[in-house]
């Protein structure tokens, strides 16, 4: 088996490596697809990051991340929009498949999740012309409902696709198994996303039992309870063939291990636990 | 304002008081509606608990809890069913409005959430004849998706109502704001539940930001981000008038305070943060 279908989200090794070292690590293991974070790009500088990406013919399965549209004042929402436009520019310069959007939760001091969702729709609508002009698809990433208050008020694939339908061309979804595996409507919504040509990214990791921290206790594929082959089958049946991008926040485990060891585990688990014909 | 519409789920003071002391505490504060847990009943004995309930004309807004249907073997599923039948008997003896069901997550060593959901449906179907014979409504409590693996694979109100429709008479839902507040389909599904006469219970607490523990860091109403008046309006508009039952698991805060102080806070917040016309 090859690692052609594998991408490494650089958050997975963010505690071990900066951007350049992470790229070197991936290349050492034959991995040529990555998804960096803007902070990682900023540290080395966009020009140098772009040089590394293009010189090595790296495939960027996404740039993380834009979003965080809701805010209490028009001024703050406008500032968020400006920052999102810069994120689009960076994604364009790096040639990323999409800009991944964590849309944001409630505005400050607000309990109005309906209003927050409207601010997200408005922000996306305002961002889209620039994204289209730059040929950067926007990928709404529905986040697990446990992040609804503080990270993303778009919490199901169905809700994200409803937004995509209203917004039109240039926007789709990032399907992260961690956020959607529980959804009773998952199969139907992945099929719908396929019909809409809206599957822009497929992120993988695993849900650990118990989960000891809501943010930084994600598992390596195979160590948790997500039926990864089943979800991959849904994606493939929907006509989606995005690379599988490993994104693991793991403060107590994987972030403490040498980066090469983490990448080896990613490859091993990708090959053995994540294929549509892997054992459940 | 009176506390007529308020019920105290005894988990809220479980670290401070056993059943009898909790009842005394509630009565001291003019509260005559409670929802006990089976463990609390078992400790004092069903006969004595029943005597206390009936002698004081207590209104039981629910008995917590039955459920946990999925299991790896038929033998274990049968044992779970037997235990659920005993829970129905206890709810009948105590005159509870309903038996609250936390339906259970994945079976042991399984990643098949579709199969788990079928085991829940099958378990409910098998339990219903006895529940109907005892006049004990079964209340499916959809739990927050963060509990899908280990506590409940029914994770949205819509999913619970779909089950209710298939099962027929004698089963409804417990709407706990903690579990459903994030749901983009919440208003529509509460309205649907009303039309089905399926609203059996309404639990309240709050979602804290940050949430430091997935199990035991629930907030007192008003201390978090849930728009409690908005959800109460949805329930009332749906024709539901269940009492609002305070259920707070709070290892770091409320469980450490004197029970009387907790009850005072419950009453204060109930009066000021939880009415359909309370400020948002």
């Amino acid at each position: 088996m090859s690692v052609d279908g594998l991408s490494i989200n650089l958050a997975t090794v963010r505690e071990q490596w900066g951007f350049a070292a992470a790229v070197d690590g991936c290349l050492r293991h034959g991995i040529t697809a990555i998804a960096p974070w803007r902070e990682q790009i900023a540290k080395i500088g966009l020009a140098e990051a772009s040089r590394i990406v293009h010189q090595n013919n790296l495939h960027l399965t996404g740039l993380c991340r834009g979003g965080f549209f809701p805010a209490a004042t028009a001024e703050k929402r406008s500032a968020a929009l400006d920052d999102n436009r810069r994120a689009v520019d960076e994604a364009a310069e790096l040639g990323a498949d999409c800009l991944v959007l964590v849309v944001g939760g409630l505005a400050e001091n607000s309990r109005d999740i309906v209003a927050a969702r409207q601010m997200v729709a408005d922000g996306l609508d305002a961002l889209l012309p620039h994204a289209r002009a730059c040929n950067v698809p926007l990928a709404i990433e529905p986040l697990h409902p446990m992040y609804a208050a503080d990270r993303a008020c778009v919490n199901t694939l169905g809700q994200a696709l409803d937004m995509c339908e209203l917004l039109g061309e240039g926007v789709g979804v990032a399907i992260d198994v961690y956020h959607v595996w529980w959804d009773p409507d998952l199969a139907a919504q992945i099929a719908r996303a396929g019909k809409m040509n809206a599957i822009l990214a497929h992120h993988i990791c695993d849900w650990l039992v118990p989960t000891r921290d809501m943010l930084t206790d994600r598992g390596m594929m195979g160590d948790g309870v997500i039926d990864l082959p089943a979800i991959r089958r849904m994606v493939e049946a929907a006509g989606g063939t995005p690379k599988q991008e490993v994104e693991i926040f793991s403060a107590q485990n994987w972030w403490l291990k040498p980066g090469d060891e983490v990448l080896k585990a990613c490859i091993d688990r990708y090959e053995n636990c994540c294929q549509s014909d892997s054992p459940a």
Side-chain angles (χ1 to χ4, degrees), chain A:
Chain A
M1 170 157 317
S2 85
V3 296
D4 279 358
L6 174 66
S7 172
I8 301 294
N9 184 299
L10 299 191
T12 307
V13 287
R14 79 173 193 201
E15 301 298 320
Q16 295 92 335
W17 288 329
F19 180 77
V23 166
D24 287 345
C26 286
L27 291 173
R28 261 199 308 281
H29 292 270
I31 299 165
T32 56
I34 61 168
W37 283 59
R38 291 181 72 200
E39 302 88 298
Q40 295 171 318
I41 300 294
K43 261 194 192 157
I44 190 173
L46 180 61
E48 173 65 2
S50 180
R51 188 192 65 74
I52 292 172
V53 166
H54 295 296
Q55 188 165 301
N56 291 288
N57 276 317
L58 296 176
H59 175 177
L60 263 61
T61 50
L63 175 67
C64 293
R65 60 188 186 183
F68 288 89
F69 296 104
T73 66
E75 194 179 358
K76 283 183 185 172
R77 290 194 293 277
S78 175
L81 191 55
D82 287 343
D83 189 56
N84 274 293
R85 290 198 181 100
R86 286 191 292 274
V88 166
D89 294 336
E90 293 164 27
E93 168 63 32
L94 295 167
D97 287 349
C98 60
L99 175 65
V100 175
L101 299 175
V102 170
V103 299
L106 297 164
E108 315 90 276
N109 304 313
S110 168
R111 293 188 176 100
D112 192 341
I113 198 163
V114 175
R117 285 164 174 162
Q118 188 58 52
M119 289 179 196
V120 170
D122 293 345
L124 283 163
D125 193 49
L127 181 60
L128 256 174
H130 184 64
R132 286 177 186 138
C134 296
N135 282 316
V136 173
L138 302 178
I140 303 174
E141 182 169 4
L143 250 55
H144 194 285
M146 69 185 175
Y147 304 122
D150 48 357
R151 277 180 172 72
C153 58
V154 174
N155 304 105
T156 65
L157 192 50
Q159 184 193 4
L161 293 171
D162 287 348
M163 278 193 177
C164 290
E165 282 183 346
L166 289 173
L167 290 162
E169 280 298 302
V171 57
V173 292
I175 300 175
D176 185 320
V177 298
Y178 193 75
H179 299 303
V180 303
W181 73 275
W182 60 272
D183 187 348
D185 207 25
L186 185 60
Q189 294 299 332
I190 289 180
R192 177 185 170 204
K195 280 187 194 134
M196 293 168 63
N197 283 316
I199 303 176
L200 298 177
H202 181 192
H203 300 178
I204 55 173
C205 66
D206 215 332
W207 180 278
L208 299 176
V209 178
T211 292
R212 293 157 301 175
D213 184 277
M214 282 169 60
L215 273 178
T216 61
D217 195 26
R218 297 194 193 184
M220 182 64 69
M221 299 81 72
D223 289 344
V225 299
I226 301 178
D227 188 345
L228 292 157
I231 297 180
R232 184 64 186 177
R233 283 194 296 273
M234 294 176 200
V235 171
E236 292 180 359
T241 51
K243 290 184 196 290
Q244 299 195 58
E245 176 186 320
V246 180
E247 183 180 36
I248 299 174
F249 306 148
S250 172
Q252 304 294 320
N253 190 1
W254 296 101
W255 281 347
L256 304 177
K257 295 181 191 286
D260 284 292
E261 187 180 329
V262 176
L263 292 184
K264 270 185 210 165
C266 289
I267 291 170
D268 172 57
R269 305 302 180 84
Y270 165 73
E271 291 181 337
N272 294 297
C273 307
C274 302
Q275 306 304 311
S276 50
D277 59 356
S278 294

